[in-house]
Amino acid sequence: MTGPDRHGFARWTRRFEDERERRNAQGDPDWERGATLHPAVWSGIQRFQVGEDGDGASLVAKADRAGDPGYAHAVRLFVAEEQNHARLLARLLAAGGVPTLTGHWSDTVFVRLRRLMGLRLELLVLMIAEVVALRYYRALRDGTDDPLTSDVAGRILADEQRHVPFHCERLHASLAELPRPVRRPVMASWRLLLLAASLVVAADHGPGLRRLGPGRRRFVADVMASSGEVVSAVLAPLSRNPDPNRNSNEHSNTKAESARRSPHGGTRR
């Protein structure tokens, strides 16, 4: 990596690399255990797996053009984690004898929309998927008595809990380039889009969400409650911007408990 680390993202690179080493040492779940879930829950996992799948080429290219090598390298590590999520979910589906999907209409719309945007707008849309994913994977981890499913969901959730502050930090720097009176309306619009996406996910995943515990209304309410902390982080003075060296689980569990390239998943491009 060459060139200046304009916004201090080298520390995020170290954090992603540390997590990669930890995952390698931990190894995969025990797929031989198999998995047994209600068909409605399997259906939701299939759709999120589609959303997590993708090469991240669009985001990586935009990060390269941003002129911050530290950030561009961190983005590549982030994309690798999202690809690992797709792999884990595919293996979970296979353990339950359930096929993966080749696509889903919501993912197609989401991906095409993001590819038309610049980095700032793509990250705002990506953050919608990340915040929705936080609540979904927590429900999947806590709402089933299947050990393999809980294990996989817990691993993905731990990664997503780092992804949200990572994107918040970049959006904080990006929105700081806008006139101050514009910043809050931008994030207010983002929350409206998040609400719309949450309603779509809740409608599409309603039977599965009921099986996992939250149900449609609570799912949407929890997602929207968690969004307030995201807005605060993006609009906060620099000294309050999320620090990757703090306990990321504590930081993001607060978001999730007060309640994540498509609304059904992560970074598909």
Side-chain angles (χ1 to χ4, degrees):
M1 181 174 64
T2 60
D5 180 27
R6 291 170 50 199
H7 298 291
F9 280 97
R11 67 190 190 282
W12 277 107
T13 296
R14 291 192 296 271
R15 182 65 181 273
F16 280 119
E17 290 173 341
D18 288 346
E19 289 298 320
R20 181 178 60 192
E21 291 180 7
R22 184 194 61 78
R23 284 194 304 274
N24 290 339
Q26 180 185 28
D28 266 10
D30 180 9
W31 304 116
E32 297 301 320
R33 288 183 293 182
T36 303
L37 297 168
H38 188 274
V41 178
W42 281 127
S43 179
I45 294 172
Q46 286 178 306
R47 295 170 194 175
F48 268 83
Q49 194 277 333
V50 170
E52 297 281 5
D53 199 13
D55 61 9
S58 174
L59 179 60
V60 168
K62 291 171 185 176
D64 285 342
R65 290 196 295 270
D68 186 339
Y71 176 66
H73 188 46
V75 164
R76 284 173 168 79
L77 294 170
F78 156 74
V79 169
E81 287 194 353
E82 294 290 271
Q83 292 171 336
N84 186 55
H85 297 172
R87 182 188 68 85
L88 289 173
L89 292 175
R91 292 294 303 270
L92 175 61
L93 289 165
V98 179
T100 58
L101 301 178
T102 58
H104 188 267
W105 69 266
S106 60
D107 179 65
T108 301
V109 171
F110 192 73
V111 171
R112 288 180 179 176
L113 177 64
R114 285 169 50 192
R115 283 176 175 170
L116 296 173
M117 299 175 172
L119 178 60
R120 179 188 296 132
L121 290 178
E122 175 154 359
L123 287 177
L124 286 168
V125 176
L126 174 59
M127 277 289 288
I128 291 173
E130 296 287 278
V131 173
V132 169
L134 274 177
R135 186 61 185 98
Y136 176 77
Y137 288 122
R138 182 162 64 94
L140 189 62
R141 181 195 65 183
D142 299 341
T144 175
D145 57 3
D146 182 78
L148 181 59
T149 300
S150 295
D151 185 2
V152 170
R155 292 172 186 232
I156 295 175
L157 179 63
D159 288 342
E160 298 291 357
Q161 288 171 336
R162 285 181 291 100
H163 295 174
V164 169
F166 169 62
H167 295 310
C168 281
E169 184 161 337
R170 176 64 199 189
L171 282 169
H172 178 272
S174 181
L175 262 66
E177 299 171 359
L178 298 177
R180 187 178 297 272
V182 174
R183 299 172 197 169
R184 288 192 179 277
V186 167
M187 294 309 295
S189 299
W190 176 82
R191 292 192 76 184
L192 288 175
L193 291 173
L194 175 64
L195 174 60
S198 302
L199 290 169
V200 170
V201 173
D204 205 22
H205 292 255
L209 290 173
R210 284 195 296 273
R211 287 279 174 177
L212 294 174
R216 289 186 174 102
R217 289 186 179 182
R218 182 179 165 194
F219 179 84
V220 173
D222 288 352
V223 169
M224 295 311 298
S226 72
S227 69
E229 196 165 332
V230 172
V231 172
S232 295
V234 172
L235 296 178
L238 185 60
S239 61
R240 291 176 54 199
N241 208 41
D243 181 355
N245 296 314
R246 68 183 287 187
N247 186 325
S248 65
N249 286 343
E250 175 183 348
H251 173 80
S252 297
N253 276 335
T254 300
K255 281 198 286 289
E257 293 300 331
S258 69
R260 319 296 27 202
R261 216 173 152 117
S262 105
H264 295 289
T267 63
R268 181 169 180 154
R269 303 293 179 272

